[in-house]
Amino acid sequence: MDDLKLITALDDAPSPEAITGFRTGMMPFWHPVLEASALECGGPTGVRLLGRNLVLARLDGEIVVFPDVCRHFQARLSLGTLVQVNGEQALQCPYHGWAFGTGGRCVRIPQLAPGRKIPMTANLTSYRAVERYGIIWVCLADEATFPIPDFPEMGDTSFRKVRLRETKPMRTSSTRMIMGTLDDTHFPWVHEGILGDRNKPEPPNHKVWRQDNELVVQYEVEQPPGLMTTDMSRPDAQRAGPVRILYTDHVGMPNVIRLVKDTDAGRYVIWLATSPVDYNTTINFWIFARNYDLNPASDAAYEAMSAHVRLQDKPIIESQRPWLIPPFWTRVELPMGPGDLPLMEYQKWIEELGIATAI
């Protein structure tokens, strides 16, 4: 492919091979899809994951996930209602009243002739789902390659947690979103005055290793004083100088990242779980945890600061092409060691997992 054709292809869309590789490679992992509170009344609710429309509901307390189409004439089940069939809850199609129970079993066809049994072919595919950290997670494969990554601060009562809800999906891929959060060398340029200083752009000395289902990155840096580095509720906080920080980043492969910042003030954690709606659309679930400045009245300031940092990243991450991270062999991108070592190791791993296969 000559240069002009390559540039045009990258600006338009990934190749069919790249899209298929991304969707197929991401299938055997747990993906966050919905705040659990959205199913408090049982549902149903429609979501989209890896290019597929799904319907979620709680049937007698159990989360169920099916394709969002009835087996009869393909009407959207997310437009349906929960009903009782033989003493158990079921999801009823709004078109002709077919109803489906746990496991996708068709439990009622109102038009069925007397004496006829419901055919097995009327059943729906049922996907695996669990609730964790206040979020519903779905796996589209029979077995997940890795468990849902640990988030120890979430259950630790000594930490104050703040959720950040983005109003719109990001126009990027899930893996681009993880790389953008893992990349620390952009801090002085995109977040100057908050996470870095352009007069000090030198990358830190990274230690990078694999540990079970995680890529772990550790390094030390200095950053300006602020909510993420300093206990700003202290009377002397405004006189604080640059803060020395030990970062430990945990990437739960391939779609969750937990940035742990340890300072003299305490620990500040940035947790992000990305939902791959498709190759070019991602919904982010953010939770921020801190074990200092625990006054609930401070939460609004932390939420506003987090939203501000995310909006600084948004236009840049959304501008990246190709949509999907290209494999190293394509030489489309030029990562540079040693500063980009964490990103290079992440790219290598997603290639091994069959997620980055083409451009």
Side-chain angles (χ1 to χ4, degrees):
M1 184 180 294
D2 62 41
D3 289 349
L4 182 58
K5 289 182 178 178
L6 176 61
I7 292 170
T8 301
L10 297 182
D11 281 344
D12 288 345
S15 67
E17 293 80 9
I19 294 173
T20 299
F22 177 76
R23 290 172 174 169
T24 305
M26 292 289 274
M27 279 182 59
F29 298 95
W30 287 108
H31 298 291
V33 297
L34 187 69
E35 295 280 354
S37 59
L39 283 186
E40 280 182 356
C41 297
T45 298
V47 302
R48 191 168 170 83
L49 177 63
L50 294 173
R52 302 182 186 201
N53 292 318
L54 306 174
V55 58
L56 279 68
R58 286 186 196 271
L59 301 183
D60 294 317
E62 179 181 341
I63 300 169
V64 296
V65 183
F66 309 135
D68 193 9
V69 287
C70 180
R71 286 290 290 122
H72 188 207
F73 282 125
Q74 305 291 292
R76 284 287 177 91
L77 291 172
S78 54
L79 299 177
T81 54
L82 301 190
V83 296
Q84 290 283 328
V85 178
N86 300 325
E88 296 181 355
Q89 275 194 312
L91 174 55
Q92 178 175 274
C93 176
Y95 200 9
H96 297 92
W98 289 35
F100 303 89
T102 55
R105 185 168 49 92
C106 183
V107 295
R108 184 173 65 190
I109 298 179
Q111 302 80 20
L112 199 66
R116 286 189 62 184
K117 292 183 178 180
I118 296 175
M120 295 289 288
T121 51
N123 295 340
L124 299 170
T125 299
S126 180
Y127 298 108
R128 305 180 72 201
V130 296
E131 181 177 338
R132 191 77 52 82
Y133 315 134
I135 297 167
I136 295 173
W137 303 66
V138 172
C139 177
L140 295 179
D142 291 337
E143 295 291 336
T145 302
F146 298 133
I148 295 172
D150 288 335
F151 184 6
E153 292 83 7
M154 190 63 185
D156 188 335
T157 56
S158 67
F159 280 82
R160 181 105 191 134
K161 273 78 72 175
V162 173
R163 288 179 181 266
L164 176 64
R165 290 180 169 85
E166 295 181 344
T167 56
K168 295 181 179 178
M170 287 277 285
R171 293 289 291 165
T172 189
S173 63
S174 175
T175 45
R176 284 276 189 209
M177 194 64 215
I178 292 295
M179 283 191 71
T181 309
L182 178 63
D183 176 13
D184 58 88
T185 60
H186 82 281
F187 289 171
W189 303 96
V190 181
H191 310 297
E192 187 177 25
I194 300 175
L195 299 177
D197 180 347
R198 291 192 180 193
N199 294 316
K200 299 177 181 177
E202 299 81 10
N205 182 25
H206 299 105
K207 298 176 183 175
V208 185
W209 68 94
R210 296 183 183 186
Q211 184 172 296
D212 299 324
N213 62 322
E214 291 187 342
L215 181 73
V216 185
V217 179
Q218 194 168 65
Y219 57 95
E220 290 189 55
V221 292
E222 275 191 356
Q223 289 182 351
L227 292 174
M228 290 188 287
T229 60
T230 309
D231 185 351
M232 300 303 287
S233 65
R234 294 178 53 174
D236 59 347
Q238 297 299 329
R239 298 194 298 274
V243 180
R244 196 70 183 169
I245 305 169
L246 173 65
Y247 266 88
T248 308
D249 302 342
H250 301 262
V251 182
M253 295 297 296
N255 58 337
V256 178
I257 187 167
R258 171 173 156 258
L259 306 184
V260 179
K261 302 173 64 161
D262 287 310
T263 68
D264 290 342
R267 171 169 288 190
Y268 188 88
V269 180
I270 301 166
W271 183 86
L272 166 65
T274 61
S275 182
V277 175
D278 209 341
Y279 69 89
N280 58 357
T281 308
T282 302
I283 292 176
N284 297 317
F285 295 86
W286 297 95
I287 301 175
F288 301 83
R290 64 185 192 275
N291 64 356
Y292 58 87
D293 191 8
L294 300 177
N295 187 345
S298 300
D299 288 355
Y302 283 89
E303 185 174 354
M305 182 271 296
S306 301
H308 177 68
V309 172
R310 301 279 66 80
L311 287 176
Q312 289 179 321
D313 283 324
K314 186 174 188 293
I316 295 175
I317 293 176
E318 289 185 334
S319 77
Q320 289 181 286
R321 296 294 183 274
W323 289 102
L324 298 170
I325 296 170
F328 281 113
W329 60 264
T330 63
R331 301 177 67 84
V332 170
E333 296 186 336
L334 188 62
M336 187 174 296
D340 293 333
L341 180 61
L343 306 184
M344 295 160 70
E345 292 299 320
Y346 176 71
Q347 283 186 271
K348 287 180 184 176
W349 204 345
I350 65 169
E351 276 192 53
E352 292 176 24
L353 294 171
I355 296 168
T357 58
I359 59 172

